[in-house]
Amino acid sequence: MSDHDHDHETPTVPQHLLDAAAEGCAESRALINRRNLLGLSAGLFAWAHMPRHAEAAGTEPRLLIVNLAGALDGLHVAVPLNDYANYTSLRAGLALPKNLLLPFTSEYALNAAMPKFRDVFLAGDAALVQAIAPPLQISSHFECQYNLESGLPGGGPRSCTTGWMNRLLNILPAGAAVKTDAMHVGPTPFILAGPAPVLSWLPGIRSNSTLTDPLTSLYHRAGNPLSVVLGEGERTYRLAESGASGTTTPPTASPLMRSFLGTARLLKDPAGPRIAVLSTGGWDTHATQASILTTKLSELDACLDAFRIEMGEAAWKTTAVVCVTEMGRRAYVNGTTGTDHGVASVAFLLGGAINGNKVFGSWPGLANADLVNGASLRATTDMRAVFKGLLQDHLGVPRTLLDTEVFPASQTVAPMQDLLKAPTVASASPALTMAAASSMATTSSRSARSTETMASPRRQTALARFRRKNGLR
Amino acid sequence: MSSRNIRPAPAAGFSPQAQAHVAFMRFGLGPKMASAARLAAASGAAYDACLREIANPGALLIPDEQVIFNQALINLRPGAAQKPDAVLNYVNCCSASAYSPQVQMTTLLPEPAEVMSTEFIARYAKCIEPEVGFAERLVHFWSNHFSINGAKDSRVMPTVGHFERSVIRPHVLGKFADLLKAVYQHPAMICYLDNQFSTGENSTIGKSAWGKANKLSHNENLGREILELHTLGAYGGYTQADVVSLSKVLTGWSIYNDIKKLETYGQFRFDPGRHEPGPQTVLGVTYSQPDMTQGLAVFDALAAHPATAQHIAFKLIQHFITDEPPVAAVQKLARVFQRTGGDLWAVARALLLVDGAWTLPMTRLVQPLHWQMSMVRGLGFSKNSVMQKARGFHSIVGQLSQPTWGRITPDGYPDDDYYWRNPGFVFARKDFAFGMVQNALGVDKMVIDPEARAAELLPGVCSAALTSTMAEMKTKKIYAGSRLVVLFSSPEYMLR
């Protein structure tokens, strides 16, 4: 596998599109301008239904997963004070001097680009996970990203065509907050791919009501079901753009900021979704890493804080945000003041529901003997443990389903404990318990079925359905 | 059998104009000015146009010479542009282990992403050529059937476009067995499904000290996908043992890996040193050939297998005609496949005759790429203009979640309608359409009368709803570009 599969670099905007934008008439706010293109390359995001069981007043849990695609260098985020000598000797020219770091915990200092995260951390609403990685650790964006999103224990052929969040949705009772009949699966991101209906929004689109209105009218006149689909899309767009609170995203907001603000408005809305995924790239810092990460971490810091403020106090209390990356980077600096692909990195946890002011996960050490192949920070936490901890304590998903359906063959990976201040959804989640019971009952061996899912055949394909239905298998 | 004898009887009240509309939206790439009126002129004209396209397979080809690389780079390498295999050579040289800033500097190679761009630019330029686009749609269908994700690595990215041009296009109207054999002798598929280092444990290399130290063995990835995705299909009657056997049959199906020999580097090769010796049994038949003819014989058997015929028939009908193909229609088309020995021209012709092929209403969403191409054709961009704008077009379908040669898993984009009916993406289409229209009106300075264009592109099939909506917009003096967006976002243009 290549160490340099640069498959997610920000595309440059073709001049003719910029020209088209510049020449557009005044009535259009829908031009494909630089912001739109960058916004979409920064990440498409999608979310799914509110699980009905969690709708009890005041306890609706919100979950946002932020995917920092490209391999964020954790060593450049939280610097180990007790391992500082190794850190500086591995990273000559890249190591952050202590006087430029923010005091953080007794063991770690924080990159100065994240002051707001530090404030939230110290206030008890944010935490960090050190030395975390998905189970597959082979230094490839392509494979590790697939591993993170598929929820599988390791590599191998891509026989699994569903993402773990879609399998999660599949076992949650369908929500009432969002009509299920008009919402269907969006192709990306892969973590949400699968049969459970999912709603998508393109944050880069600046929709033009001079187009929406006549189209709505046209679809209605034609008596075409497209009117329903368009209506759902528009409702989502409007919620994301301004929300019930009436705040709007400033035109100068970066694409990522636009995405975070829209997500907040949707997650907090009484009729909105409760689970969201947001993906943002550009973390692949093979060269001039320090300046790139200063910019990117500052932006992320600002976005996470704007998200918190937009959510408002009440919704923030029931929110858990987790920012993960598909792999870490080498412990040592390369020849271009950057770092190459490694193993373990950090994860950020934020939200009023998060048991904050803590660093989870143990420090594996930067001494040569402690590094993977003498090169990369070892992972002490399997990323699935964090996901499972959040799903269990925040959404109330039973361990049996986590072990088999959401993260197949992960019985040995225990949910991480104490990630939440208090379990948002305690054991009082009868619907889910029932879902668990019925799915256990419908197959004689849940784990056997999961194994089949992984090893294929693809049970959900149209051909498979056709053959089953017609007795042609 | 003459085409007259198999001409489908138009249903009562199924006008020539409706037939043309079905041909363009269901089987083609949307109407264009030059062909819309002709196809709508007489009953059967649209069907005949589809037949004409599949009778001319040569028109589908895109020769290497037409794939215009960064001329500055090619000029710096004397003679390269003249060699017919110049493209593949460039492509080869971008492959993973060789690809580095140093190699790129010394051999003056384009970036892998640049090679892929050049390929999709040529693909976009092709979409404006045909009358209907039926044969071009078949290219897209088979390319998706043998889906390859260029983003896998820098070995696959620069070869995936070449794969479509050199493997798919020459074979989509030929024999399925020939298509199969060509697919697995192309470096893009070999590398995409990890077969280049697949090594028999009892092969020369597998038994060597190095091979044993590295525990070299066969890789099941390609073998499994051949059975599950490319031929028999899920529940097609194969077992895990068949997957293993086929994988062993295919050990040694690899690529040249010596960077010092640029003339062959990265191209397909059968490596006897990696090939597992001895007979293998696949689906109950034992194959004893000592070399790659063993694999070729298995491909002949897989191509002739009834489950393959059924799989292909199902997928074709599901892609072109209906979400839920009736079993009788599938079996009928499968019989054509089998009776003709997998003649894809005969199958394509029979596909046009499937029950329900020429019916209204159209209810399924046109997939993003084909919807976009219908705008490219409807707006009437010149070939040069398409090539200049293709990168922007490519970006748009990527944002609508159908990136060309970018499906993350090897199963290809699904044809299930629900997959594309996502509100967020449907809502966004009008805004992307606006960008397309602005390219025509703003950048290319085209002068288009939206109402006249609607009548020309959709002769006799413009609904009253569309006509009145556009007329009202015109009365309100709403910008012509917005009226064109409404045309291209209308049910007439969005559904197939």
Side-chain angles (χ1 to χ4, degrees), chain A residues 86-172:
Chain A
N86 281 326
Y87 168 75
T88 47
S89 77
L90 284 162
R91 300 205 147 196
L94 182 60
L96 295 163
K98 280 186 181 174
N99 61 344
L100 292 184
L101 288 164
L102 296 176
F104 190 50
T105 69
S106 59
E107 290 174 275
Y108 303 98
L110 191 69
N111 190 304
M114 301 196 76
K116 288 168 179 160
F117 176 77
R118 187 188 69 149
D119 291 347
V120 177
F121 182 98
L122 295 177
D125 280 358
L128 203 69
V129 186
Q130 265 294 7
I132 182 174
L136 182 71
Q137 295 157 12
I138 60 166
S139 296
S140 156
H141 296 300
F142 185 76
E143 296 298 339
C144 294
Q145 188 64 47
Y146 177 75
N147 182 241
L148 188 164
E149 298 188 69
S150 68
L152 298 184
R158 300 193 160 203
S159 298
C160 177
T161 53
T162 55
W164 68 258
M165 286 190 76
N166 195 278
R167 296 196 297 276
L168 166 69
L169 299 175
N170 233 4
I171 59 172
L172 294 174

Side-chain angles (χ1 to χ4, degrees), chain B residues 43-59:
Chain B
S43 187
Y47 171 72
D48 288 343
C50 292
L51 284 186
R52 271 200 302 280
E53 276 183 13
I54 59 172
N56 185 14

Side-chain angles (χ1 to χ4, degrees), chain A residues 379-442:
Chain A
T380 54
T381 295
D382 184 323
M383 194 176 287
R384 292 174 298 173
V386 173
F387 292 144
K388 288 170 89 168
L390 289 172
L391 297 188
Q392 180 177 271
D393 293 341
H394 194 48
L395 298 185
V397 182
R399 173 79 189 265
T400 46
L401 290 179
L402 290 175
D403 285 352
T404 55
E405 195 69 13
V406 184
F407 297 101
S410 70
Q411 286 86 346
T412 56
V413 182
M416 190 172 261
Q417 299 296 303
D418 301 322
L419 292 176
L420 296 150
K421 289 192 175 81
T424 314
V425 179
S427 51
S429 124
L432 257 189
T433 311
M434 277 178 63
S438 69
S439 52
M440 294 300 279
T442 51

Side-chain angles (χ1 to χ4, degrees), chain B residues 131-402:
Chain B
E131 248 186 324
V132 182
F134 179 44
E136 191 66 16
R137 284 278 304 275
L138 289 168
V139 169
H140 297 174
F141 171 84
W142 286 109
S143 197
N144 190 56
H145 182 75
F146 296 105
S147 179
I148 292 178
N149 182 2
K152 169 158 184 170
D153 58 30
S154 52
R155 198 182 276 270
V156 177
M157 182 172 282
T159 51
V160 61
H162 185 272
F163 171 82
E164 182 175 293
R165 281 193 304 114
S166 70
V167 171
I168 303 293
R169 289 184 180 274
H171 291 103
V172 292
L173 295 165
K175 294 279 189 181
F176 181 71
D178 295 336
L179 174 57
L180 266 189
K181 291 170 190 171
V183 163
Y184 309 118
Q185 293 179 60
H186 193 280
M189 184 61 85
I190 291 293
C191 295
Y192 177 51
L193 293 177
D194 304 320
N195 209 65
Q196 71 269 42
F197 302 122
S198 183
T199 306
E201 286 176 32
N202 299 304
S203 67
T204 317
I205 292 177
K207 284 198 298 189
S208 68
W210 179 78
K212 283 181 178 163
N214 288 285
K215 297 196 171 98
L216 294 189
S217 183
H218 65 275
N219 186 313
E220 289 179 18
N221 201 3
L222 178 63
R224 178 181 309 281
E225 303 306 15
I226 289 173
L227 293 172
E228 182 177 323
L229 297 177
H230 299 164
T231 60
L232 307 178
Y235 301 110
Y238 60 90
T239 63
Q240 173 62 20
D242 293 317
V243 171
V244 172
S245 297
L246 178 55
S247 301
K248 289 181 179 174
V249 165
L250 294 176
T251 47
W253 290 54
S254 185
I255 57 170
Y256 285 102
N257 216 23
D258 185 354
I259 181 63
K260 294 191 202 76
K261 295 178 182 162
L262 283 183
E263 65 280 8
T264 56
Y265 181 75
Q267 291 185 28
F268 175 81
R269 82 181 280 218
F270 177 76
D271 183 350
R274 291 188 187 271
H275 187 65
E276 176 76 7
Q280 299 294 341
T281 301
V282 181
L283 299 167
V285 178
T286 301
Y287 299 84
S288 305
Q289 297 87 334
D291 48 25
M292 75 178 281
T293 57
Q294 187 183 37
L296 296 175
V298 176
F299 292 143
D300 277 322
L302 290 175
H305 197 285
T308 300
Q310 186 186 72
H311 180 197
I312 302 303
F314 175 85
K315 276 193 75 172
L316 278 166
I317 296 174
Q318 208 217 8
H319 176 76
F320 283 96
I321 299 171
T322 171
D323 250 34
E324 301 283 343
V327 65
V330 171
Q331 285 174 337
K332 196 170 166 188
L333 191 59
R335 278 197 296 276
V336 175
F337 186 100
Q338 282 203 278
R339 196 179 61 232
T340 61
D343 181 335
L344 299 180
W345 170 76
V347 171
R349 201 177 59 160
L351 177 67
L352 294 170
L353 299 175
V354 164
D355 282 345
W358 300 85
T359 53
L360 292 176
M362 294 193 265
T363 56
R364 306 165 81 207
L365 212 58
V366 179
Q367 294 178 8
L369 177 69
H370 297 145
W371 173 71
Q372 180 189 51
M373 286 182 168
S374 77
M375 283 190 284
V376 172
R377 287 160 61 92
L379 288 165
F381 288 110
S382 70
K383 183 169 178 176
N384 277 345
S385 179
V386 171
M387 295 181 79
Q388 282 167 14
K389 296 171 174 61
R391 286 165 202 270
F393 297 165
H394 179 76
S395 157
I396 288 174
V397 285
Q399 291 165 60
L400 287 170
S401 296
Q402 196 181 26

Side-chain angles (χ1 to χ4, degrees), chain A residues 168-213:
Chain A
L168 166 69
L169 299 175
N170 233 4
I171 59 172
L172 294 174
V178 180
K179 281 181 197 156
T180 54
D181 58 357
M183 302 202 160
H184 297 291
V185 63
T188 48
F190 182 71
I191 195 170
L192 273 168
V198 172
L199 181 65
S200 294
W201 169 53
L202 300 183
I205 291 290
R206 305 299 307 280
S207 186
N208 185 339
S209 64
T210 66
L211 300 177
T212 315
D213 297 346

Side-chain angles (χ1 to χ4, degrees), chain A residues 14-25:
Chain A
Q15 188 57 42
H16 65 268
L17 286 181
L18 296 177
D19 293 344
E23 290 180 31
C25 58

Side-chain angles (χ1 to χ4, degrees), chain A residues 23 40 219 221 456 458, chain B residues 228 310 399 416 442 472 489:
Chain A
E23 290 180 31
L40 292 160
Y219 293 167
R221 278 182 209 185
S456 109
R458 297 173 171 89
Chain B
E228 182 177 323
Q310 186 186 72
Q399 291 165 60
D416 308 82
E472 282 166 24
S489 308

Side-chain angles (χ1 to χ4, degrees), chain A residues 221-271:
Chain A
R221 278 182 209 185
N224 198 289
L226 278 176
S227 60
V228 179
V229 187
L230 187 78
E232 284 294 333
E234 184 177 21
R235 197 170 68 87
T236 306
Y237 173 82
R238 289 198 188 290
L239 266 179
E241 285 296 308
S242 56
S245 58
T247 58
T248 52
T249 305
T252 52
S254 73
L256 192 62
M257 181 65 84
R258 182 170 294 280
S259 299
F260 269 101
L261 289 176
T263 305
R265 293 182 190 121
L266 286 154
L267 283 178
K268 75 176 176 185
D269 193 274

